[in-house]
Every structure is written in structure tokens, then in C-alpha cells.
Amino acid sequence: MNILRDYRLIPEEEGEDYIRLLVPENFNHEDVEEIRFLTGKDVRLKVVPEEEFVKELQRRLSEEKIEVEGEEVSAEEGVDLLLAQDDSPVVSLVNSLLIKASTVNASDIHFEPYEDEAVVRIRMDGVLHDITKVPMSTYQNVVSRIKVMANLNVAERRVPQDGRIRVRIGNRDLDIRVSVVPTVFGERVVLRLLDRTGAMLTLEEIGLSEEDKEKVRRLAKKPYGIVLVTGPTGAGKTTTLYAMILYVKDPKKNIITIEDPVEYQIKGVSQIQVNPKVGLTFATGLRSVLRQDPDIIMVGEIRDTETADIAVHAALTGHLVLSTLHTNDAPSAVTRLADMGIEPFLIASSLEGVIAQRLVRKVCPGCREPYEPSREELRELGLSGDFKGVFYRGTGCEECLGTGYRGRIGIFEVLELDDDLKKLITQTQDANDIRKLAKEKGFRTMLEDGIEKVKRGITTSSEVLSVIKS
């Protein structure tokens, strides 16, 4: 009998003639009597608030070893996975994986079939980690369970399928995007986990230095113009745009967003999901939004010349346009717009600022330790050999799955365009020239921001160098 799994009560201590259980305030008395009868022991209870109990239950369940057996399954809707009775081994396996992923704040779960077994991996802080292996004799039942939960066709195994699952784990509501594609050895499944109860980050929380935070606040408060956030996929650009919108959100302002997909709902903001199948693209959506009398428009991404043209037109006619671009650094955004065919004088007139960013993993607070950096490490960061101070690294613990890292933070460079920089843009769109003049005016690069975070023990030098020089 597994009291934790079978009854969702937490055994704290067991003696020869007694067992002590941690229980919530609304515990089921019949379950306690049943445990007393089955164990033949005196059951002592420690009653704690519901929230505290749920947190401890999730931690215990996530630490339990994930075991794999085989069996066909059916679906249950709207049940909190922490309280669900795992009658079937396959249901138990899928629930355990979702609980574990939620506990370590994973963004994705991968089910990858190979010739003799399937590997299950979770992506934590941008890096994939192996969690368990599933024998191929059981794997198809696992896929079937996920398909049933996502309302997909269980019998169809030849074509890709996409679906959604909504589950509750403790006090978190998860919206899970499901992607199934056929491979040589079976169907490969990826689950993208989105926390619908998670609060959006503010400008104070994303990792901006005080100086950069002031610059971003000034940019967000501009009455009109374009503000771009740049970086590769998965660099947290949308999170920064949301943080800016939360900062300027006001009942007196009409804010409309066009996104692909809409990741978080913001109260008081009209959000449009692009749908190319019916002709609703960023460009067509932006053109329609301009007729809705907006003050601030957020465009998920400027992907083509048409969208860029309309965004510039919107900025020049008195709207603040917030959007993203794929460039390596802030000055390169000007070059990219010029490559899209936007006239230099229009870029200079409309562009107000560019925020470039990357995400770096934070040193795990549970196993953080100081060390003295080597001369080689200092040289790679561009620091002089006579640097006095310590850096920090994680040694690896249970909390961080042995990685030494837990959570992520942004490193930034914020380019505000003043009259001198705008004048230069009309003459040249070369990123190096723009960077040179900006640095003379106090512009701080992403690498410099990253080094500052290394000195403060927030991240490591290897993390900063790997995201900037990759």
C-alpha cells in the first residue's frame, strides 16, 4: 500500500505501533480509518492549511521514482492531477511526468521513440534532461493516453496531429499544447506547458539594470514611434513586450495586440490571434487595427516588408508600435529594417528605440558556492587579470536536477535613438557605425550587462558567453 499515491495523504513518520500523517484541513475521515484498519496502527494526524499541504504533496509526488508498466487507458476531464486516483499504470506515468514537469517549471516534455525504447525528456531552463525510458511494448499506450486527453484521433498514426489539454496541478492551471508526428519507430509527442495562472513578469522582474529599466520606461511612455525587441527564438522577447504593456496599461488608452499565438490574456487589452488560413496575418491584422483608433499597438513580429511598411506608417501617424525582430543585437535592427526596403529617413523618423536580449540560466540558490575565476576565464570575458573578487557556480543538487542552475533571467542592451543617432541613420545603416556612436553616448552592450550579472553571482561566465557568442 502506497499511502501517498493511493490516498493522497503524506506519511511523515512510522513507528512499530503508529504512523503520523500530514493531512489538509478538509481531509477525508474515511480514508484515515481505512489506513488505520489496513496497517493495524494508531494513526496520528498533523493538520495543515490546504495550500501548504498541496505544495508538500506536489513536492513528494515529483520526487517519487517514475515507474513504467503497460495498460490501455481512458480520459478524465477537469481533475486536479495531485488528487487524481492513479488506477492505471499508464495514467500514473503520464500524471507523474506532468507533476514533475510542473514542479521544476519545465516548458516542454518530449516523448521520443527509438528502435527498442522511448526516451522521455523535459526542457528545464532551455535545456533538455532525460527523465525516464519507456519500453516500446508500453509506449503506444502512453501516446494513446495523451491523445485521449487532447481529444485527438487515437486510431490515426500516419499523419501529424495537434491538440490541447487543460489540467490542474495543485494551484496551477496548465494549458498544454500537444504535437504528435509519425516517425520511423512510432509517434513522437511534444507537450508545451503554459501556466495560465502564472503572473506575467513586470519590468522590475525580467532582469533589467536600473539604468536600462529607466530607458525602457521612457521608451514605453513615448506617445508615438516604433520600439523593437530583438533576439533569437526563445529569448523572452514577448515577455518583455508584455512587461512594457503592463507598465503603460491605462483605462484611458486603447491597447490592441496582434499575436501568434496569444500566450497570456491581459485584462483591459484587446488581443488578436493571427490566422493565416483565413487571411488574418500580421500585415492584414495591423491594417485593420489602425481603423480601431488605437493608442498602442503590439505586433508579435515584423516578418516581412509589408508589415514593416504598415508599422512605420502607424508610427508616423501618431501610434506607439511595439514589436519584435530577429537580429543579434540592437544596432543590427536598423540594418534589418533597411534590408526590408524601408527608406533610411523613414527609419530615422519612426524608430525610437531597440531592446536586444538573451536568456541566461541563474545559479541555483540551493547549491551556490563562490570560487576564484582563472585568468583564462577573466580573459574570455574581457576583464583584466588583476580583477579582485569571486564568481559563483552551482555544484548540483536535487532542486536543480544536478545542473547547478535554476530559473532564467534576461541580459539586455537598450539603444535609445537621440537626434544624433537618427541623423547618422539617414547617412548610414551600418550597425558598427551606429554602435560606435551609441557607445560614445553611454550605450552598454549585452556582454557588459552579462558580465555585471556574473560579478553579482546571478549567473556564470560560461552561460553568458554561450548565449552571446553562439
Side-chain angles (χ1 to χ4, degrees), residues 40-73:
K41 294 181 179 182
D42 179 31
V43 179
R44 301 170 187 175
L45 303 180
K46 181 182 175 184
V47 182
V48 296
E50 180 79 18
E51 197 174 314
E52 187 183 324
F53 176 81
V54 165
K55 199 177 287 184
E56 179 61 17
L57 178 64
Q58 181 170 346
R59 188 187 70 79
R60 291 284 193 97
L61 286 171
S62 72
E63 286 175 358
E64 281 220 320
K65 187 167 166 52
I66 295 171
E67 294 172 2
V68 182
E69 298 170 44
E71 196 179 306
E72 193 48 78
V73 293

Side-chain angles (χ1 to χ4, degrees), residues 103-391:
T103 305
V104 299
N105 291 318
S107 60
D108 304 83
I109 307 176
H110 291 227
F111 297 81
E112 304 168 8
Y114 298 105
E115 192 168 5
D116 48 0
E117 62 186 6
V119 177
V120 182
R121 306 198 284 170
I122 63 173
R123 188 179 294 280
M124 188 175 102
D125 298 332
V127 179
L128 282 167
H129 302 276
D130 286 12
I131 291 300
T132 190
K133 291 181 170 61
V134 182
M136 290 310 288
S137 57
T138 301
Y139 181 66
Q140 190 50 53
N141 289 344
V142 173
V143 175
S144 297
R145 166 63 180 168
I146 294 167
K147 283 183 170 182
V148 167
M149 292 174 79
N151 291 317
L152 300 177
N153 184 347
V154 178
E156 180 56 79
R157 300 179 183 179
R158 300 161 300 168
V159 297
Q161 296 187 66
D162 294 311
R164 290 174 76 180
I165 301 170
R166 285 194 164 183
V167 297
R168 187 167 181 80
I169 297 176
N171 55 6
R172 296 179 74 188
D173 278 318
L174 289 186
D175 194 352
I176 302 170
R177 310 272 164 85
V178 182
S179 169
V180 183
V181 295
T183 70
V184 175
F185 298 115
E187 290 175 293
R188 189 183 197 280
V189 183
V190 175
L191 309 181
R192 163 61 58 88
L193 279 58
L194 298 170
D195 186 356
R196 290 185 290 129
T197 47
M200 281 172 290
L201 298 178
T202 63
L203 289 177
E204 280 70 35
E205 296 166 326
I206 59 176
L208 289 162
S209 66
E210 284 304 317
E211 188 186 335
D212 285 347
K213 203 186 301 171
E214 278 310 307
K215 288 182 186 175
V216 174
R217 282 177 179 150
R218 282 198 296 271
L219 291 172
K221 287 285 189 182
K222 295 272 183 186
Y224 52 84
I226 297 177
V227 178
L228 294 173
V229 182
T230 78
T233 305
K237 299 187 294 292
T238 308
T239 301
T240 300
L241 287 178
Y242 278 146
M244 291 173 78
I245 285 175
L246 287 177
Y247 177 68
V248 297
K249 191 164 77 87
D250 187 315
K252 300 184 188 73
K253 285 190 173 137
N254 179 17
I255 304 174
I256 304 178
T257 75
I258 310 160
E259 304 173 60
D260 181 23
V262 174
E263 289 183 26
Y264 294 98
Q265 277 89 42
I266 310 173
K267 199 172 182 182
V269 175
S270 300
Q271 295 171 275
I272 300 166
Q273 166 88 47
V274 303
N275 186 353
K277 287 178 185 172
V278 295
L280 178 53
T281 62
F282 282 123
T284 56
L286 185 51
R287 200 175 272 118
S288 301
V289 161
L290 286 172
R291 296 194 283 271
Q292 292 278 319
D293 185 31
D295 297 298
I296 299 170
I297 308 165
M298 175 185 133
V299 185
E301 189 185 341
I302 294 178
R303 291 177 181 168
D304 50 47
T305 302
E306 188 184 4
T307 311
D309 266 332
I310 304 165
V312 167
H313 169 72
L316 294 174
T317 52
H319 306 90
L320 179 63
V321 180
L322 308 175
S323 190
T324 71
L325 260 186
H326 286 286
T327 65
N328 287 332
D329 56 20
S332 300
V334 175
T335 315
R336 180 88 178 93
L337 289 173
D339 290 344
M340 283 179 164
I342 308 298
E343 293 290 344
F345 74 92
L346 289 176
I347 298 172
S349 305
S350 60
L351 190 63
E352 291 297 328
V354 185
I355 304 159
Q357 67 181 81
R358 299 283 191 283
L359 288 180
V360 292
R361 291 183 292 170
K362 294 195 289 186
V363 176
C364 173
C367 56
R368 183 172 176 261
E369 66 166 24
Y371 72 98
E372 208 168 296
S374 66
R375 281 182 173 276
E376 177 66 21
E377 193 175 348
L378 293 172
R379 190 179 59 77
E380 282 191 322
L381 289 173
L383 296 172
S384 63
D386 55 3
F387 168 80
K388 292 287 179 281
V390 294
F391 288 175

